[in-house]
Amino acid sequence: MDCLTDDLCAIVLARLPLKTSTASKVVCKQWKSIVESPFFRQLFISLHQNSHSCSWSLMYFGTEIMAHYRCETWGLEKSLDFYISSFLKRFKNNEEHYKPAAEVVAYSDVGLVLIHVKPLKEKIHGSLYVANPVSRECVEILYPDALPLGFHETKQDHRMTGIVTRTDDKGVVVSSWSLNTYHLPYSLYLGDHRSAISLINGNLHLLAWKSLLGGGVRVVVSIDFYAGSDRCRVTPFPDSDKTPEFQRACTASQGFLMHMNIVVSEDKLCLWRLQSDGWQLISAIPPVALVSTGFDRPLTINPFDEKTAYFCGKHQKGLLSVNFHNGKFVLHNQLEHSSDDSRIMVSLKVWGYTRHIKQSERSSFVLPQWLHRIPNTVTRV
């Protein structure tokens, strides 16, 4: 390697999994300079752009429901739940005077999480940290004087917590971290929803009711925190005037907000994508697979492949993946499934309990095609 030029050295290192190539920075100053260069980042993403997926997990209040890992891009041998739980354990052990109750309260689509450490007696709010559990980096966020969004809620005052990120045209996280509050219009009710859906470049989506009088209308509240305005966009669900089979919910895939449901009157399993001008119908297929197999409860859509959705059943110990393009489905066993591209999917670790989990309480934690470093002063734990 000492005989290679920097560009040839970059080509060699870029073919390694991301976690390995970034760890190579500690070998010498030359490799550190190469790996941190924009050329290396573009080269790595180009070489790995055809990878079937990055690592991701479907989380429920800190519990991993299902996971994809061992992908080529990151080369992680364990699911993201392992890295999150081990990070929190080390995070707690690093505290000198006490062992706090730390929990993840929000997930992002750039591999970052928001951790809340419950307050001590002398602290009003406790502490908040933005962290990367894979690289074990974190930075503390200072509370403003106002009551933080998501904590100290009352029965009459429902709050929601989310983490918003912004990237530049090269895909690098450029935000400086702060804690802000956003007050929704009085006609919107969050109900019992506790999870916000975060998308790249400052978009945060909340599920709410618009006026509870007369039953209300289920809507998606979209907030762009970097648009320079405190206005939000309220969009009714595309099937709001029809009878759906499932509880209406959303998930993120390929940078868009997605919604799937079965319209009872039309007997179609439909997939919609939220665009700037409203919902766009992507696919509508007969729900024969769900009826015949008994896997009739939606879990999520693949964050890197919008044509693939996952379902569970009330009595089935397994997982069903459905292809929205051709209607084909694959039944996975209760432990794990190895596909042709050597990915591993661990499905439904909480058998019998998963069917009671509300769709609005699930969060996707996604590792992108590049390791996003946390801006501001970073602490490693």
Side-chain angles (χ1 to χ4, degrees), residues 322-336:
V322 178
N323 188 308
F324 273 101
H325 285 189
N326 53 32
K328 294 183 179 180
F329 61 93
V330 177
L331 181 62
H332 309 292
N333 62 38
Q334 64 183 24
L335 295 178
E336 61 182 26

Side-chain angles (χ1 to χ4, degrees), residues 94-201:
N94 277 5
E95 297 294 331
E96 297 179 357
H97 304 293
Y98 68 105
K99 292 187 177 181
E103 60 177 343
V104 177
V105 295
Y107 302 86
S108 77
D109 52 354
V110 293
L112 304 179
V113 298
L114 184 65
I115 298 175
H116 179 228
V117 179
K118 293 184 179 180
L120 295 173
K121 293 182 179 179
E122 62 269 21
K123 289 188 176 181
I124 299 177
H125 305 298
S127 303
L128 274 180
Y129 296 86
V130 173
N132 184 324
V134 176
S135 64
R136 300 190 180 278
E137 298 174 337
C138 70
V139 58
E140 184 175 5
I141 301 176
L142 298 179
Y143 279 101
D145 295 333
L147 184 67
L149 182 69
F151 304 105
H152 303 287
E153 63 182 41
T154 65
K155 293 182 179 180
Q156 295 79 25
D157 188 15
H158 295 282
R159 301 177 185 274
M160 189 177 295
T161 304
I163 178 173
V164 177
T165 57
R166 181 175 58 174
T167 59
D168 60 15
D169 55 354
K170 297 180 181 179
V172 179
V173 176
V174 296
S175 302
S176 58
W177 299 102
S178 63
L179 181 66
N180 299 310
T181 60
Y182 189 98
H183 301 283
L184 298 178
Y186 68 92
S187 59
L188 297 176
Y189 298 86
L190 297 179
D192 58 351
H193 303 297
R194 307 189 182 197
S195 299
I197 302 173
S198 171
L199 296 180
I200 293 177
N201 292 331

